[in-house]
Amino acid sequence: MALRSARTSKKAGGRGPAPAAPEPAPRVRGRGAPARPGDIPKPVAGAWLVRGKDGRLTAYAQTGDGLVRWTETGVGAAHWTGPDRLPLPHKGAVLSMAATQSAEGYVHLVAIRRRPAPEGGKPPIDLMHAIQFQTGRPLRDWASIASPYRDHTKAARMGIPAVVTDSESSLHVYVQNAEGRISYRQQNPKGRFGDWERASVEGTPVTGQVHAASRDDGVIDILGPAAGRVLHWRRERHDAPFARIEDQEPAGAVLPGTLSSEHTGPGRITYFWRDGATSRVRAWRPGADPVDLGGPGAGPLSVLRTPVDGVDCTILAGQGQDGRPVLAAYPTEDEDAGANWVPSGEPCRGTPALALDGMGRVALAAIGEDGSLRLTRQKPEEGLALEAWTRVAGA
């Protein structure tokens, strides 16, 4: 299985592909106003490039007052609409935002919002939730799901939300709270949210953003970084209590905000993070030791499992040390095969995103430093060669 970038060069004395001088990406026609000056979009956490039930791709990026959205005009089309601005209500400022997609294709967006401070008071902070049911259609109105705290100072210390849907497509929202524990709120099967609760009350505190994953058998796992180890909680069903799985917690330092995962087998999830000392990628499954996959860089990884040349592969995309997207692939659950990291494109903001488009091609998207959406897709040939990057729309 060959992995090739649209732009690579050989570096004297080095091994494998090396970054080439950036080239301008051609503009692809779109519509909509770009982000305002000084408010450059950046990727939302989680699944920010998604394929709808109609096969079209949609990309979401966070702004200071909401989000922007780009949408393919047709399945696999070169033309997109957007960026369409979708602000939060009541002049709220977005502190962080995350997205996930349900089995029905619904996209859930959860933001931590800071509202204007009342006279003589502190700015209230709460979480907001919205849903996009169909590709390109308006969002269902943003609705507040409150906060674990009435104390606005404590609310300001919450981490970036982790969002996941369970086997009944109900949304679960998890946040690192002010005490270093995990607070959560979830929908019931009818779509109504219950009260804020705590998944962890005692024990070792988490030191950064938590990550939640829902297995195909309905089990929900939560991982959180801690001092010298990765904490692991499990919930056997949506209404069961959380149990800490201490005997399966791997040792090691996690770079904050870098946990991600992908389903890699029946009832199995592989987790990824960056090592806190080296920023290299680690892969881990419960019951095994973490494996070093190289690829130093910044931020979490986007992970996609799909066949390449008939081989079940796991594809990883991240932001390299020079700020450019980097891509690697290896046979699923065969981390010992190693991962060869290939840089591609121009420097970007945040983590690039992977998805399969409606024609079954691997699509890799990135938000450029100017806030524009950049995209490349798999070529119709053997291996994982990528087309030249295009700029969909931007400032």
Side-chain angles (χ1 to χ4, degrees), residues 176 180-181 203-208 224-233 244 249-256 276:
Q176 175 200 9
R181 312 301 178 188
T204 308
V206 295
T207 58
R229 65 189 307 105
V230 181
L231 305 182
H232 183 196
W233 290 269
R244 182 152 167 211
E249 293 178 348
V254 176
L255 196 64

Side-chain angles (χ1 to χ4, degrees), residues 11 39 67 82 91 95 119 149 153 156 202-203 237 240 255 257 266 277 285 311 330 344 354 356 362 370 373 391:
K11 183 178 179 182
D39 189 13
L67 75 151
K91 298 182 179 179
L95 303 182
E119 186 175 351
Y149 298 104
T153 300
E202 300 177 350
R237 59 182 189 277
L255 196 64
R285 280 180 298 282
V311 178
Y330 66 91
S344 183
L354 288 164
L356 288 179
V362 174
D370 61 354
L373 176 64
R391 182 169 58 220

Side-chain angles (χ1 to χ4, degrees), residues 42-137:
K42 64 179 181 180
V44 304
W48 68 265
L49 180 70
V50 298
R51 185 180 68 189
K53 284 293 187 180
D54 64 355
R56 290 188 292 159
L57 295 174
T58 303
Y60 300 90
Q62 171 187 332
T63 62
D65 64 353
L67 75 151
V68 293
R69 181 186 69 189
W70 296 264
T71 308
E72 277 187 316
T73 58
V75 175
H79 296 167
W80 294 56
T81 62
D84 300 317
R85 297 190 62 85
L86 305 169
L88 268 67
H90 309 304
K91 298 182 179 179
V94 177
L95 303 182
S96 60
M97 187 179 296
T100 191
Q101 188 176 32
S102 72
E104 294 88 355
Y106 304 158
V107 178
H108 292 264
L109 296 145
V110 175
I112 297 183
R113 173 186 66 166
R114 183 181 61 224
R115 289 177 287 166
E119 186 175 351
K122 296 180 179 179
I125 293 176
D126 62 354
L127 284 86
M128 302 289 290
H129 171 238
I131 307 176
Q132 180 167 333
F133 289 108
Q134 291 179 284
T135 304
R137 301 293 295 171

